[in-house]
Amino acid sequence: QVWLERSSLAPLLRMLGPISSSRLLDVGTGTAELLRTLATLPNQPEEAFGVDPCQGMLERAAALPESWRLLGASGEDLPFADQSFDLVTASWVLHVLEPGTRERVIAECVRVLKPGGRFGSVTIAPPRSALAGILTAPARWAARRYPSQLVGLTPLDPTGDLIRAGLTEPFRKRDFRGYPALCLVATKPS
């Protein structure tokens, strides 16, 4: 399913606007697709980290620039100092977490984000119209009915979670070239 998720990563990265002096953290990096996409951009950061609790996913990651690192770690307990990143991402992660876990992961992302830094996420886009709601109802029902297999199809707009965690109202963009995606970028106030 990575190919269905991949199309939304470049738009998210354009919204974040990384530069060479940025320090970036990708939470729930999986096979590091976001970092792989970032490595193709002209303004890639000199330093980037990807964390994921699943070592098997990290072992499947493609080669990355030499100064970038992949670490086995949970998004609920990030092994980094407070305010140590300019950019933090959690792409294709938040919508698969239980609400309490999602709040803890977002709080950790905000903790390691510098004031003025940006947080970006991609989730399955909630339907915007009644017709879209009707058309996607079977997939949403299946995701609720069989969460262990289909939780990744659960739509989520995490705006409220981000604001409650202390971030600004996010800038949003929808992308429909793969999974229907909602890309959000919010800033940590200075």
Side-chain angles (χ1 to χ4, degrees), residues 46-60:
E46 291 177 20
E47 193 172 20
F49 293 84
V51 297
D52 199 282
C54 179
Q55 192 62 37
M57 295 290 273
L58 296 174
E59 289 169 2
R60 288 188 220 125

Side-chain angles (χ1 to χ4, degrees), residues 154-169:
T154 305
L156 175 72
D157 180 348
T159 296
D161 294 327
L162 301 181
I163 291 171
R164 281 188 295 280
L167 298 172
T168 62
E169 177 76 30

